[in-house]
Amino acid sequence: MSADTRPRLIETGGRMRMSFREWRGHRPFWGGLLTLLSGIPIMYIPYANLTIGSLTFSLATTAGAGSLIIGVLLVVLGLTLWFQPASRVFAGVAAILLSLVSLVISNFGGLVIGFLLGLIGGALGVSWAPGKASTEARGEAGEPARPAGGGPGGGAEPVTAAAGPGAGKASDGPAGASPADGTNGGHRAG
């Protein structure tokens, strides 16, 4: 291994981590993960045998197929939250409803583990909202974008001592409102 390969490996790992962080930030990642994980105990527990010493407990129920269907649907809804963030409300509500149904059908929702993971994951999926695009918050050169007007206060032109009320531009409407920049003449803090 040469000295040149080590920095490239670090750069590649850093780029992969940053791209994963970027991907994760544009979708309800944690809601999808918890919803996906909720399907596993709901699918597994009705078919599992618990052995303590020489004593075997079978948790199988007559609704084993229903448990399998609910578990698979929760896994699919978790993947839907990851790869189709636009349908997050539907997937979240469906995950919550399936988790509630699993309480009755699938051994108390996978011994309450799958039930709680499904409820929390579905709620996170429903409550997630996409953030604002980073291109709107930054200018072309990477500086924070300034509001229209470009003044140091970020907006309307500064008022001089000689200017009184109604001393605005000729195109200003009542109370100094300018239809071009959409302001209504109200004061801004800061």
Side-chain angles (χ1 to χ4, degrees):
M1 188 159 125
S2 69
D4 291 340
T5 59
R6 184 72 177 151
R8 288 184 192 149
L9 289 175
I10 293 172
E11 289 174 7
T12 303
R15 269 189 252 132
M16 288 174 49
R17 189 177 70 227
M18 292 302 291
S19 66
F20 175 70
R21 185 178 291 173
E22 178 76 19
W23 178 82
R24 189 182 70 192
H26 293 296
R27 60 203 75 246
F29 177 77
W30 295 110
L33 181 67
L34 291 177
T35 303
L36 188 136
L37 291 176
S38 72
I40 294 170
I42 291 174
M43 281 188 291
Y44 176 74
I45 289 176
Y47 295 104
N49 291 326
L50 179 64
T51 304
I52 301 173
S54 63
L55 186 61
T56 302
F57 292 103
S58 178
L59 299 173
T61 62
T62 58
S67 300
L68 185 64
I69 290 170
I70 289 173
V72 167
L73 285 174
L74 283 170
V75 169
V76 168
L77 288 171
L79 293 172
T80 301
L81 285 171
W82 277 356
F83 297 111
Q84 295 293 327
S87 62
R88 69 189 179 278
V89 175
F90 166 75
V93 169
I96 290 170
L97 291 176
L98 283 172
S99 296
L100 289 171
V101 168
S102 75
L103 264 178
V104 178
I105 292 181
S106 165
N107 293 331
F108 296 113
L111 297 179
V112 183
I113 298 167
F115 167 70
L116 289 176
L117 287 174
L119 279 181
I120 295 169
L124 287 173
V126 169
S127 66
W128 181 83
K132 298 190 188 258
S134 61
T135 56
E136 293 174 357
R138 299 244 174 236
E140 294 294 324
E143 299 176 14
R146 292 187 176 184
E157 298 170 332
V159 178
T160 60
K169 294 183 247 176
S171 64
D172 288 351
S178 175
D181 63 2
T183 58
N184 63 357
H187 297 286
R188 287 190 227 169

